[in-house]
Amino acid sequence: MPPRDSLFDLTGRVAVVTGASSGLGVTFAEALAGAGADVVLAARRVDRLQEVAARIEEGGRRALTVPCDVTEPDQVESLAERAASELGRIDVLVANAGAVPEGFALPERVPHELFERSVRVNLIGTWSTCQAVGRRMLAAGSGSIIVVSSYTGLAGVPHFPPAYQASKAALLNIAQQLAVGWGDRGVRVNALAPGWFPSEMTDAVMAAPAFRARIDSQAALGRAGDPRELVGPLLLLASDASSYMTGATIVVDGGTSASVGAAPYGEELFGLHAAVMPAGLGERLLPATG
């Protein structure tokens, strides 16, 4: 049996991380580099990518920055091609790019174009990335794909962005579907389902005292997560330590999804929706009275 430390060693491997310009994507990229991998950083904001790349290279690993909007299939294909040709291989994909275009709009108010945009980024963009990178992994006969979903994909969450939640649920199925289809050719596909963690996407909501209290009260551990607490599960799925895992979902949510039932949603929280969303998108549609 290999030594414990070597199970998580990624030396000599190449990892692609989408959504690597901010938030959890930065945590993922730096963790993979810390485990020995060279990293391909992909996102729309190239200046942010270059900052992350500089830190990774200071640590002695190679970093390639590739501008990429995952909703554009040609850009996704270019990302996969550059990663394979310039760094020689792709061993790990962390499909992390995501967005919440519908913001804090209540489900009955979400405009069609925002719902569609969310699905394009979170579902179709992730699918395109898995497919483009997966083809190269299949040709090589090995690879580990990590689809970043969410604990909200496990069950209904009241008054939550509906397209985001539905797309994250679909990603769990995509991970399973690809796992059973690609396992015979050496490619493993698993999902990581985080709970609430501070990031550019969540900071504004988590800063609201009423919502932060709800997050903390629903977690068995009584708090939101620290991004560093995702590093262990990430490296498990990326490395040989999970060589007999595929089609699995690792939930890292402090025990939020372990409970049955949802806590009541008070007027203060509904007021928050109304305050942060323009044009009445955060206002509940109530029965007429009179």
Side-chain angles (χ1 to χ4, degrees):
M1 187 172 185
R4 213 168 21 187
D5 290 345
S6 69
L7 284 174
F8 299 90
D9 186 15
L10 298 175
T11 301
R13 301 187 191 184
V14 173
V16 174
V17 181
T18 63
S21 62
S22 65
L24 298 183
V26 175
T27 297
F28 295 151
E30 293 182 341
L32 292 164
D38 295 325
V39 185
V40 181
L41 306 165
R44 292 175 298 170
R45 295 176 294 184
V46 180
D47 56 334
R48 295 278 194 93
L49 291 179
Q50 290 171 342
E51 293 172 7
V52 181
R55 292 197 297 272
I56 288 174
E57 289 173 343
E58 286 173 3
R61 306 315 310 172
R62 291 185 295 173
L64 173 66
T65 61
V66 181
C68 181
D69 180 342
V70 297
T71 66
E72 298 293 338
D74 289 347
Q75 293 186 32
V76 173
E77 183 63 26
S78 177
L79 164 65
E81 180 57 31
R82 286 193 61 188
S85 63
E86 296 186 34
L87 294 187
R89 56 193 292 166
I90 306 175
D91 301 286
V92 178
L93 167 65
V94 182
N96 168 71
V100 193
E102 69 261 52
F104 224 36
L106 290 168
E108 62 266 34
R109 301 286 191 186
V110 175
H112 174 81
E113 60 272 18
L114 295 184
F115 191 100
E116 183 177 19
R117 173 68 182 171
S118 189
V119 171
R120 285 186 59 80
V121 175
N122 298 312
L123 178 55
I124 299 175
T126 299
W127 161 254
S128 297
T129 307
C130 290
Q131 186 185 55
V133 173
R135 283 196 296 262
R136 290 158 174 84
M137 289 180 170
L138 290 167
S142 66
S144 174
I145 293 175
I146 303 165
V147 174
V148 180
S149 178
S150 166
Y151 87 101
T152 63
L154 301 172
V157 178
H159 316 298
F160 203 79
Y164 176 86
Q165 185 172 177
S167 60
K168 291 298 185 177
L171 291 183
L172 300 179
N173 184 266
I174 281 179
Q176 293 174 321
Q177 195 267 354
L178 294 180
V180 298
W182 291 354
D184 62 343
R185 287 164 283 170
V187 177
R188 299 184 296 108
V189 186
N190 293 289
L192 190 61
W196 284 96
F197 287 83
S199 72
E200 190 174 74
M201 188 184 296
T202 64
D203 281 348
V205 174
M206 292 180 68
F211 206 87
R212 183 56 185 264
R214 181 178 177 83
I215 291 170
D216 294 345
S217 68
Q218 288 186 316
L221 296 182
R223 61 177 176 83
D226 183 310
R228 293 172 295 182
E229 292 175 303
L230 287 165
V231 170
L234 173 79
L235 295 182
L236 168 65
L237 295 179
S239 69
D240 291 342
S242 60
S243 59
Y244 196 57
M245 289 179 65
T246 196
T249 297
I250 296 182
V251 183
V252 189
D253 68 352
T256 301
S257 60
S259 64
V260 176
Y265 215 82
E267 290 301 322
E268 186 176 5
L269 288 170
F270 284 119
L272 177 61
H273 284 267
V276 301
M277 292 303 297
L281 296 181
E283 296 179 4
R284 279 186 296 170
L285 185 61
L286 299 171
T289 60

